[in-house]
Amino acid sequence: MGTVTRGVLLAGVCLALAGCLREDDRDAEVSRAAAGPDLRPDQEARAKEAAQSEIIRDLQARRSVLVPGSSFDQVAGSVLAAYSRSAEADLLSARLRAEAASKNWLPRIGPNISLTSLSDMVSQLIVEQVLFDNGRKKAERDFAKADVEVAAVTLAEDVNKRVFEGLSLYLDAAQARERLALERRTLEDMSRFEWIMSERVKGGVSDMSDLNILRSRLAEIREVMAGQEEAEATALAELNAMAARPLGGVAGLSEVPVEAGSVAALDVLRAMAEAERDTAEAVMARAGLLPGLTAGGTVGNGDTSFGLNLRSEQLLGLGTGAQLKAAEADKEAAKRRRAQADEDSDRVVQRLEGQLSALSRQVGEASTLRDTAKANLDLFQAQYDAGQREVMDVVGVYETFAERQARALALKYELALARLQLARHLGVLAEGSRI
């Protein structure tokens, strides 16, 4: 190789390395500025990752809507403490792949050992540096970075899903417990009516059919109570199975102040990350069809040779043009999938907000109807005490009151569940910085 050719080759390699080093230096300066002073290595790594990714920065900045110390927060903390975090292993793997890809601009070396004859072995060291690759190396780094973002969104989705499942079981147990207490009071009141009717039948004042109706109603109440006891026990058993400590002593509902426009939904972030990854994959596919320039050679056995190579990963053919167009079409498809994800997420948010608005109205109406039924019951009770009403008249009004109570209770828990569903969709059931 001539002196001039070797000088040009070395100059090209140096320029390529210098450009990549300057790029890494800029990234390092941005990361250090975002990380701040006196951070542990893991915190510095997280800050660096957040500085380089808008999606991860968004995930880390999310705040849980669960009120600290509330019943919901206690349940969430317990189920997360027992979480195996399988998605975290996928995120770690993606981070390691991204770290490996971040060094793909460096020269590659490897051994070259060949047996030239039965007694002569030649060993050399191959060195190769990419000078121009149509953006493939950068696309590989972008792909690995987007892969980390997808894994991070997956972890956030899994954590929010687990918290939602735990809170759903807690709501089932709490609703069954409160309904059981309500049915116990109803049983006591109906038993009193049954005793009065039994005494009237003994005295020949009332008919036996009315007493049979009351006893049938008491049997239905006992059946409902048994079902609620079983529902509470089942929900608590399943909840305790996924929690780090028993949660039977936790009681009460807590507020979930969630607003739809505060953060982007998790499926939107996933679509953003997947669109970046698909775009990078399309760039890599396109670069593989075009020729690239590399510098390399072999060193060993007293023989050193360097040269420039112009080559492509795939041979050109009649279908190469169509393959290049397909790579461009893949990038356009990634953009459209992102837009579709925005639309789908907005539809889900609108549906949940409409459901919340309707349930809030229904809870208010059910409370009003319950209070009205209670006022009617008090009036009929007073009229019965004054001898103006029959026992079965009061029983009918009382059954209406009991139904209104059960309806108001069910709507209260439906509203709480709908708020949790919206919070899960937005990914704000867990603290982002702790995931």
Side-chain angles (χ1 to χ4, degrees):
M1 178 184 294
T3 305
V4 176
T5 304
R6 183 174 297 178
V8 172
L9 172 60
L10 293 176
V13 173
C14 291
L15 287 174
L17 290 174
C20 293
L21 287 172
R22 283 196 298 271
E23 182 180 349
D24 272 17
D25 289 340
R26 286 194 299 270
D27 292 342
E29 289 177 3
V30 172
S31 301
R32 284 193 295 270
D38 302 329
L39 290 181
R40 298 195 310 268
D42 60 331
Q43 293 176 330
E44 185 176 352
R46 288 167 62 88
K48 178 181 179 181
E49 200 171 53
Q52 296 175 350
S53 171
E54 179 183 354
I55 293 176
I56 293 181
R57 186 163 59 249
D58 184 299
L59 291 173
Q60 291 181 359
R62 289 174 183 247
R63 296 292 176 263
S64 173
V65 296
L66 304 181
V67 179
S70 64
S71 58
F72 284 0
D73 185 58
Q74 294 178 52
V75 173
S78 184
V79 297
L80 286 181
Y83 182 32
S84 61
R85 304 175 74 88
S86 57
E88 189 174 14
D90 296 332
L91 176 58
L92 177 59
S93 177
R95 281 173 170 164
L96 293 175
R97 289 194 298 269
E99 182 179 354
S102 67
K103 305 296 188 296
N104 67 353
W105 53 269
L106 292 170
R108 295 184 299 174
I109 62 175
N112 180 29
I113 302 175
S114 61
L115 185 64
T116 58
S117 66
L118 295 179
S119 61
D120 188 14
M121 181 175 293
V122 177
S123 61
Q124 293 178 320
L125 186 65
I126 299 177
V127 182
E128 184 181 75
Q129 171 64 47
V130 175
L131 300 180
F132 178 74
D133 62 353
N134 301 286
R136 180 179 179 84
K137 294 296 183 183
K138 184 178 183 302
E140 288 177 355
R141 296 193 294 271
D142 292 341
F143 181 91
K145 171 177 168 290
D147 205 29
V148 172
E149 293 173 341
V150 172
V153 175
T154 300
L155 176 59
E157 288 175 339
D158 285 356
V159 170
N160 278 271
K161 177 184 177 182
R162 183 173 180 85
V163 173
F164 176 77
E165 289 176 349
L167 291 175
S168 298
L169 291 171
Y170 173 76
L171 287 180
D172 291 341
Q175 182 177 359
R177 186 185 304 121
E178 194 169 346
R179 178 67 185 275
L180 181 60
L182 183 64
E183 294 298 330
R184 282 199 181 104
R185 293 195 298 269
T186 303
L187 181 64
E188 292 176 0
D189 294 337
M190 293 296 290
S191 296
R192 182 170 58 87
F193 289 132
E194 190 266 347
W195 179 82
I196 294 174
M197 183 59 66
S198 177
E199 295 299 318
R200 291 172 63 87
V201 170
K202 290 179 182 179
V205 178
S206 297
D207 189 79
M208 189 64 185
S209 60
D210 293 335
L211 180 59
N212 290 335
I213 292 175
L214 285 174
R215 287 175 176 172
S216 176
R217 176 58 179 148
L218 288 173
E220 293 175 0
I221 295 174
R222 291 188 181 96
E223 182 182 1
V224 172
M225 290 175 60
Q228 296 304 314
E229 288 177 348
E230 293 169 353
E232 179 187 5
T234 302
L236 274 179
E238 187 174 353
L239 178 59
N240 289 331
M242 66 183 301
R245 60 181 179 84
L247 295 171
V250 182
L253 299 182
S254 59
E255 292 295 325
V256 183
V258 56
E259 295 181 3
S262 56
V263 293
L266 288 180
D267 53 1
V268 172
L269 295 184
R270 170 180 284 277
M272 291 172 58
E274 290 179 344
E276 293 178 6
R277 188 174 63 178
D278 294 343
T279 301
E281 188 175 13
V283 172
M284 288 190 295
R286 180 182 181 276
L289 298 170
L290 300 175
L293 181 63
T294 62
T298 58
V299 179
N301 289 342
D303 183 22
T304 301
S305 63
F306 287 95
L308 294 176
N309 296 316
L310 184 64
R311 66 185 181 186
S312 61
E313 294 184 1
Q314 301 182 27
L315 297 177
L316 301 180
L318 296 178
T320 301
Q323 288 179 314
L324 291 173
K325 292 180 180 179
E328 294 298 324
D330 288 340
K331 293 193 286 186
E332 179 63 25
K335 294 179 182 178
R336 296 191 180 187
R337 284 194 293 269
R338 158 76 190 280
Q340 185 62 46
D342 290 338
E343 177 186 326
D344 294 342
S345 176
D346 186 59
R347 289 175 55 192
V348 173
V349 169
Q350 294 299 324
R351 174 176 59 81
L352 291 175
E353 283 192 318
Q355 186 178 357
L356 281 174
S357 178
L359 285 173
S360 298
R361 175 187 56 80
Q362 293 173 20
V363 167
E365 293 176 350
S367 299
T368 301
L369 292 174
R370 180 195 58 200
D371 295 341
T372 302
K374 182 63 169 65
N376 290 337
L377 176 62
D378 293 340
L379 177 60
F380 270 63
Q381 184 67 49
Q383 292 175 344
Y384 170 76
D385 294 338
Q388 299 174 355
R389 294 284 183 181
E390 297 291 335
V391 176
M392 295 306 295
D393 295 337
V394 182
V395 169
V397 176
Y398 184 86
E399 288 182 339
T400 300
F401 170 63
E403 291 174 0
R404 299 300 183 193
Q405 281 185 308
R407 176 61 176 165
L409 177 64
L411 286 172
K412 180 177 72 171
Y413 280 92
E414 286 183 25
L415 178 60
L417 182 61
R419 286 176 177 152
L420 292 177
Q421 288 174 335
L422 179 58
R424 174 196 174 181
H425 179 71
L426 297 177
V428 290
L429 285 178
E431 200 81 8
S433 59
R434 297 179 181 177
I435 295 179

